[in-house]
Amino acid sequence: MLDPRTPLLSVADLEAWYGESHILHGVTFDVFPGEVVTLLGRNGAGKTTTLKSVMGIVGRRNGSIRFEGAETINLPSNAIARAGVAFCPEERGIFASLNVEENLLLPPQVKPGGLKLEQIFELFPNLRERLGSSQGTKLSGGEQQMLAIGRILRTGARLLLLDEPTEGLAPVIIQQIGKTIRALKEKGFTILLVEQNFRFASTVADRYYVMEHGRVVHRFANSELDANLEKLHEYLGV
Amino acid sequence: MFEIFGIPSQALFGQLLIGLINGSFYALLSLGLAVIFGMLNIINFTHGAQYMLGAFCAYFVLTYAGLNYWFALVIAPIVVGATGVVIERVFLQWLYKLDHLYGLLLTFGLALVIEGVFRNYFGSSGLPYRVPDALQGGQNLGFMFLPNYRAWVVAFSLVVCLATWYLIERTRLGAYLRAATENPTLVRAFGINVPRMITLTYGFGVGLAALAGVMAAPIYNVSPQMGADLIIIVFAVVVIGGMGSIMGAIVTGFGLGVIEGLTKVFFPEASNTVIFVIMAIVLLIRPAGLFGRGT
Ligand SMILES: Nc1ncnc2c1ncn2[C@@H]1O[C@H](COP(=O)(O)OP(=O)(O)O)[C@@H](O)[C@H]1O
Ligand SMILES: [Mg+2]
């Protein structure tokens, strides 16, 4: 077991580029084992790019990204995944040429200790019913989101990167996803969450980092939320 | 002996068999092209040369190592597939982000080089390759004579095609392939070594071409331009079936072979062009091909 005061993920001075455009300008933050940390920020602030950098799927990146103490900045994404990081993309990434079951079983096991299929169905009962469905992309938006989260729970990854899992979903589904994230935290997963929906984030997060123009401009813990509300409204423009 | 539509049964079924034989090669080759195109996004114009290499490989292992047809069926796909792996690592991997045209030109150039080298050393008359002993002779079915070797080619091609279909459409490995065709970045972010999978896919597609080459050796002789002659028709087959569809490649390959054979019976003048006429019609009505997805 890692010392709880040693970060599971430690990002320092991260810079990232898409081609010529310089997107991240020195992002620094930590995620400790068992935490749910949320990145907040307006559209285009660089939240998705930060997650993709951690996962190793941004063209060019600089700085330091340490996972379980080991530097990953120069590793290809398949090696980062094998180290125990799993990614649920903003656009969900359900495969149209795979049926629901194939989508669910696609990510290979990278470490021991992932959830059993039965445990995933306990979290997302809808998935069990839709297992026989032909095409993964024929599911409703909410079911696709459950599938996108469910499939990375089997892999044994310790760190889950969730990019706006509530985007465009109905309130009851958002509630179910909130419940799931709390259950996953209880099972010992560490979660780095990106959210625009600040009210949703406040039901699951331990700490927050606020991003703007490719930098972290503010950080606070959930207990300091009330004191930070005004500032937050300013940053998020809500 | 009896007649159908005024055609002697012997002629009709004879052409039908030739159609099935040709269709076997169309199917095997267009299947390899479809697999390669799906994963690499490259139209592999070297495919005909690689088919020819398979036939030559069978000839070499027989002549220089004394290993017969059955060994060649195993050795040629592995050896020629391995040259495919080298080609992918050295050349093709740099082209994926570019327009299709670059991959097409490169593989076309490679085909010219390979075929040129072989023509230089072996001339263009062709080298004989014997039908394996176990498959000599044939069966008299009453309405026609069925050579054993040809029956074997049709049956074995069908088995290889369906096994490939099963591998891609029904197994875990196939799910990786299909997913990586859609979104290679995400599949890689799940921990799968996608670049290596792409390399092996090319090797596999090339191996299929070589396998077809071995099967063709006892029927058509072994000659440097055997692939160049065939590949033009195979590309028409691929256009008709739709690039990238596995079952489409198989069905279209066998189907067009049969149509071509029947045309030879009923309207011989058109037998060399019928596939291209069908291609033109399909392009007008369904540009994505009969089984093609997308726009
Ligand atoms: N593939 C890309 N190519 C070029 N620029 C991009 C790409 N993806 C995102 N960007 C730009 O990077 C910036 C940050 O985007 P992103 O990380 O997606 O923001 P967020 O997730 O916070 O909304 C935006 O200005 C966006 O336009
Ligand atoms: Mg985003």
Side-chain angles (χ1 to χ4, degrees):
Chain A
M1 208 46 215
L2 282 174
D3 172 356
R5 292 329 297 168
T6 310
L8 182 67
L9 176 73
S10 181
V11 175
D13 305 319
L14 174 66
E15 295 183 86
W17 289 260
Y18 289 115
E20 292 296 302
S21 20
H22 194 170
I23 306 293
L24 300 183
H25 305 267
V27 173
T28 299
F29 66 93
D30 291 319
V31 182
F32 291 93
E35 269 193 318
V36 177
V37 168
T38 300
L39 301 180
L40 298 169
R42 288 182 212 229
N43 247 331
K47 308 180 297 295
T48 296
T49 307
T50 304
L51 287 198
K52 286 187 174 173
S53 301
V54 172
M55 199 64 246
I57 54 182
V58 166
R60 187 167 140 229
R61 57 205 197 284
N62 238 337
S64 166
I65 302 174
R66 302 177 79 84
F67 178 69
E68 291 184 328
E71 185 57 66
T72 67
I73 191 86
N74 288 319
L75 293 183
S77 62
N78 51 311
I80 296 173
R82 294 277 166 188
V85 183
F87 179 45
C88 175
E90 192 170 359
E91 66 284 357
R92 296 173 191 141
I94 302 302
F95 296 94
S97 53
L98 273 59
N99 64 30
V100 173
E101 190 177 2
E102 287 173 325
N103 266 290
L104 186 60
L105 300 180
L106 184 74
Q109 243 134 342
V110 296
K111 299 261 155 160
L115 295 194
K116 306 253 177 312
L117 267 185
E118 211 33 58
Q119 292 174 294
I120 294 173
F121 292 142
E122 271 163 34
L123 292 171
F124 302 115
N126 306 40
L127 284 188
R128 191 203 310 266
E129 291 158 30
R130 304 302 240 118
L131 209 54
S133 261
S134 56
Q135 220 179 325
T137 44
K138 294 233 170 89
L139 300 185
S140 71
E143 287 167 336
Q144 287 193 33
Q145 187 64 61
M146 295 173 194
L147 184 54
I149 298 177
R151 70 181 168 189
I152 60 173
L153 302 178
R154 286 176 48 254
T155 64
R158 287 168 47 85
L159 176 64
L160 309 182
L161 312 176
L162 308 182
D163 198 347
E164 303 207 30
T166 64
E167 198 181 359
L169 299 182
V172 295
I173 310 222
I174 295 182
Q175 272 178 22
Q176 195 187 349
I177 289 181
K179 224 171 71 188
T180 305
I181 292 178
R182 288 189 291 276
L184 292 176
K185 182 178 150 86
E186 228 156 81
K187 289 184 197 290
F189 284 96
T190 306
I191 296 173
L192 177 57
L193 180 70
V194 162
E195 262 304 335
Q196 301 257 8
N197 183 343
F198 159 71
R199 283 189 8 156
F200 168 76
S202 70
T203 65
V204 294
D206 297 307
R207 291 189 301 121
Y208 304 86
Y209 290 88
V210 183
M211 292 190 67
E212 205 169 72
H213 304 307
R215 291 183 176 83
V216 171
V217 290
H218 192 49
R219 50 177 290 183
F220 57 94
N222 201 37
S223 56
E224 304 160 330
L225 184 63
D226 290 338
N228 282 279
L229 269 183
E230 202 162 318
K231 224 172 177 178
L232 205 54
H233 281 231
E234 212 170 286
Y235 280 127
L236 302 180
V238 285
Chain B
M1 202 66 170
F2 55 95
E3 292 194 352
I4 299 168
F5 302 130
I7 310 278
S9 68
Q10 191 79 7
L12 180 65
F13 288 109
Q15 287 303 334
L16 201 60
L17 178 64
I18 290 175
L20 274 177
I21 298 274
N22 289 336
S24 301
F25 293 114
Y26 299 162
L28 276 175
L29 291 172
S30 59
L31 177 64
L33 283 175
V35 170
I36 290 171
F37 181 78
M39 195 70 191
L40 287 81
N41 231 348
I42 275 184
I43 302 167
N44 184 38
F45 257 87
T46 320
H47 219 66
Q50 284 152 338
Y51 159 86
M52 177 270 287
L53 286 179
F56 266 96
C57 192
Y59 176 80
F60 291 146
V61 296
L62 182 67
T63 312
Y64 300 112
L67 296 172
N68 66 19
Y69 177 86
W70 306 105
F71 286 98
L73 272 186
V74 179
I75 294 171
I78 293 174
V79 170
V80 181
T83 67
V85 165
V86 173
I87 289 173
E88 197 278 339
R89 281 293 85 193
V90 176
F91 299 113
L92 300 181
Q93 66 156 321
W94 312 106
L95 304 178
Y96 301 142
K97 293 197 182 83
L98 305 176
D99 193 89
H100 286 325
L101 198 57
Y102 290 87
L104 194 147
L105 285 174
L106 184 106
T107 54
F108 185 59
L110 275 175
L112 292 182
V113 170
I114 295 170
E115 283 165 354
V117 167
F118 272 74
R119 197 155 39 240
N120 191 41
Y121 285 101
F122 300 97
S124 38
S125 53
L127 307 159
Y129 190 93
R130 262 171 59 83
V131 170
D133 291 338
L135 295 174
Q136 295 281 357
Q139 315 294 325
N140 191 348
L141 301 180
F143 55 90
M144 69 175 291
F145 180 77
L146 177 65
N148 287 340
Y149 185 72
R150 304 204 164 202
W152 152 259
V153 166
V154 174
F156 187 56
S157 306
L158 203 57
V159 168
V160 171
C161 284
L162 292 179
T164 304
W165 173 85
Y166 185 86
L167 177 75
I168 290 174
E169 299 293 343
R170 290 288 179 272
T171 66
R172 175 68 64 91
L173 179 67
Y176 291 153
L177 284 168
R178 278 174 284 140
T181 301
E182 261 184 73
N183 187 345
T185 308
L186 185 58
V187 172
R188 192 169 187 191
F190 285 150
I192 293 163
N193 192 336
V194 173
R196 189 171 63 198
M197 200 160 78
I198 290 176
T199 306
L200 293 177
T201 301
Y202 188 71
F204 177 78
V206 170
L208 276 181
L211 184 71
V214 178
M215 287 199 271
I219 300 182
Y220 302 125
N221 279 348
V222 178
S223 81
Q225 76 278 2
M226 63 190 285
D229 299 343
L230 184 59
I231 205 66
I232 303 295
I233 301 177
V234 170
F235 273 105
V237 171
V238 167
V239 169
I240 293 168
M243 208 69 187
S245 160
I246 300 301
M247 200 39 114
I250 299 172
V251 172
T252 318
F254 279 100
L256 286 174
V258 168
I259 289 176
E260 198 186 27
L262 293 180
T263 310
K264 231 169 241 161
V265 180
F266 292 106
F267 190 40
E269 295 82 354
S271 64
N272 289 326
T273 48
V274 61
I275 287 185
F276 298 99
V277 171
I278 295 176
M279 178 180 86
I281 295 171
V282 168
L283 278 178
L284 284 175
I285 298 172
R286 265 184 81 98
L290 294 179
F291 297 84
R293 280 185 283 251
T295 49

